[in-house]
Amino acid sequence: MKTFINCKDLGDLRKALEEAQEIKADRFKYQHLGKNKTLLMIFFNNSLRTRLSTQKAAMNLGMNVIVLDVNAGAWKLETERGVIMDGDKSEHLLEAIPVMSCYCDMIGVRSFAGLTDREYDYAETVLNQFIKYSGKPVFAMETATVHPLQAFADLITIEENWKEQTNADGTRKRPKVVLTWAPHCRALPQAVPNSFAEWMNAADVDLVITHPHGYELDPQFVGDATVEYDQMKALEGADFVYAKNWSCPGVTNPEDYGKILSKDMSWTIDAAHMAVTNNGKFLHCLPVRRGLIVTDDVIESENSLVIPEAANREISCSVVIKRMLEEMKNL
């Protein structure tokens, strides 16, 4: 595996989940793979879970780790081609990338959407420059449009907390998983809901996506999921509820891309919402705005999985880095 951007890069998800449990049982089992190898983690945006979990995963696998915060510890980087660099950006990414690659064996990149130019964001301009010019394995630590490490951790968490049930014909019952939009005070990217939808479509679950009109996610991520605009109807009988805000994806109205179209507080997940579920478990990627996304009683309830979900970020990242190290070893 030379790059990791989506669930297809992992191949068989069942095998990946089994590998996750193997690593969780012994986090240092593959420490030999990373000996004398260096991971460079590049952050264009703030991070807590991604920074800590990725660094921990790499260390568990025996790697050295360098963390570069572009906004605080480096020259400001220009990412556009054909510009006259007479502003506050001193170095171009096209020179910075090959320089960075001189000091590492693998690169993790975190860069958010600008939310002003949909074409630029959905082309994954920054990430693809690293893939093209670094000559090193590159994995996404969240990008303009996807957050695969989070979605993989979400899937691990759901699998761990789904009590196997069978249908009348003896087949495995698929859990009902609901991705619901919730209000927020800021315009947020679609990376988390995009990846969550993509991974759930590939997993053995029944996915329902609910949001107000105008918040339709890109069809490439929605896939075969059921889209329901009535939130309470969508939540009925849900086994897992994943709440997340996202700004307008601009699918139906490109001019609205990145805008906040609604702040309807009736979409905030509270006890009344959870009461119509099948004793549903609550999930969120964190950080979460209490009172906007979810109420205190829900996120603090025994059905809240936000902390184990965050802990599984170390595991999802361990699987990805392990596979990349194995690929390097076989070259």
Side-chain angles (χ1 to χ4, degrees):
M1 188 166 65
K2 189 73 183 291
T3 59
F4 175 71
I5 305 171
N6 54 50
C7 60
K8 292 180 181 178
D9 293 326
L10 277 186
D12 187 328
L13 279 187
R14 180 54 53 188
K15 289 183 179 179
L17 288 166
E18 291 173 358
E19 197 169 338
Q21 293 309 313
E22 178 192 13
I23 287 175
K24 199 165 189 176
D26 185 355
R27 298 169 198 239
F28 306 101
K29 181 177 180 179
Y30 296 100
Q31 204 169 45
H32 61 282
L33 290 174
K35 184 178 181 181
N36 297 329
K37 295 288 191 300
T38 298
L39 168 66
L40 174 59
M41 298 165 55
I42 302 166
F43 291 88
F44 288 85
N45 299 88
N46 295 335
S47 172
L48 189 152
R49 277 147 297 278
T50 297
R51 184 184 296 253
L52 296 178
S53 62
T54 307
Q55 188 165 357
K56 182 65 164 63
M59 292 168 63
N60 289 352
L61 290 162
M63 299 190 79
N64 302 310
V65 180
I66 300 173
V67 179
L68 177 63
D69 186 334
V70 171
N71 297 315
W75 299 111
K76 289 188 177 181
L77 295 176
E78 177 60 64
T79 60
E80 297 279 1
R81 280 182 168 275
V83 298
I84 297 173
M85 293 174 57
D86 59 355
D88 64 342
K89 296 176 180 177
S90 306
E91 186 162 9
H92 202 288
L93 202 59
L94 294 181
E95 285 79 59
I97 290 172
V99 169
M100 294 174 189
S101 68
C102 293
Y103 310 134
C104 68
D105 303 283
M106 186 186 300
I107 299 175
V109 180
R110 182 178 176 94
S111 61
F112 285 1
L115 295 180
T116 57
D117 185 337
R118 189 182 194 279
E119 184 177 351
Y120 181 88
D121 287 344
Y122 274 73
E124 291 292 1
T125 306
V126 173
L127 177 69
N128 283 323
Q129 289 187 73
F130 276 93
I131 293 172
K132 184 175 181 179
Y133 298 112
S134 71
K136 298 294 169 69
V138 175
F139 63 90
M141 300 191 300
E142 187 169 6
T143 71
T145 67
V146 294
H147 198 348
L149 289 173
Q150 179 64 54
F152 187 17
D154 297 335
L155 179 57
I156 293 170
T157 307
I158 288 172
E159 285 291 314
E160 289 177 334
N161 288 275
W162 174 240
K163 295 180 180 179
E164 286 288 341
Q165 301 178 41
T166 56
N167 297 306
D169 61 0
T171 58
R172 178 184 187 268
K173 182 181 178 183
R174 291 157 61 97
K176 179 180 179 180
V177 178
V178 177
L179 168 62
T180 177
W181 178 92
H184 203 282
C185 54
R186 296 178 56 202
L188 298 183
Q190 300 99 45
V192 169
N194 281 347
S195 279
F196 185 77
E198 178 187 41
W199 285 68
M200 292 303 112
N201 271 306
D204 191 22
V205 308
D206 290 328
L207 175 64
V208 178
I209 303 174
T210 184
H211 52 71
H213 287 278
Y215 282 95
E216 292 80 9
L217 296 172
D218 194 292
Q220 66 175 309
F221 299 110
V222 175
D224 296 327
T226 298
V227 177
E228 172 57 63
Y229 293 96
D230 183 329
Q231 187 192 32
M232 294 302 287
K233 182 178 179 181
L235 291 170
E236 289 177 2
D239 299 295
F240 296 91
V241 176
Y242 199 103
K244 184 71 180 75
N245 174 267
W246 61 89
S247 61
C248 175
V251 173
T252 55
N253 295 299
E255 65 275 11
D256 288 335
Y257 175 63
K259 292 181 180 179
I260 296 174
L261 304 180
S262 173
K263 290 186 178 180
D264 187 350
M265 294 292 288
S266 70
W267 284 75
T268 301
I269 298 298
D270 58 15
H273 288 84
M274 298 302 292
V276 303
T277 70
N278 182 30
N279 194 33
K281 307 292 186 181
F282 177 80
L283 298 116
H284 189 278
C285 61
L286 301 181
V288 64
R289 298 262 185 162
R290 291 188 179 211
L292 286 176
I293 301 292
V294 61
T295 55
D296 289 348
D297 55 340
V298 171
I299 197 170
E300 293 176 11
S301 74
E302 62 180 13
N303 277 11
S304 174
L305 297 177
V306 297
I307 303 305
E309 184 182 3
N312 276 331
R313 289 292 307 279
E314 176 188 342
I315 307 305
S316 65
C317 192
S318 295
V319 174
V320 170
I321 295 177
K322 170 184 172 287
R323 290 195 176 188
M324 286 188 158
L325 288 169
E326 288 172 335
E327 178 76 14
M328 293 165 61
K329 185 177 180 181
N330 292 330
L331 290 178

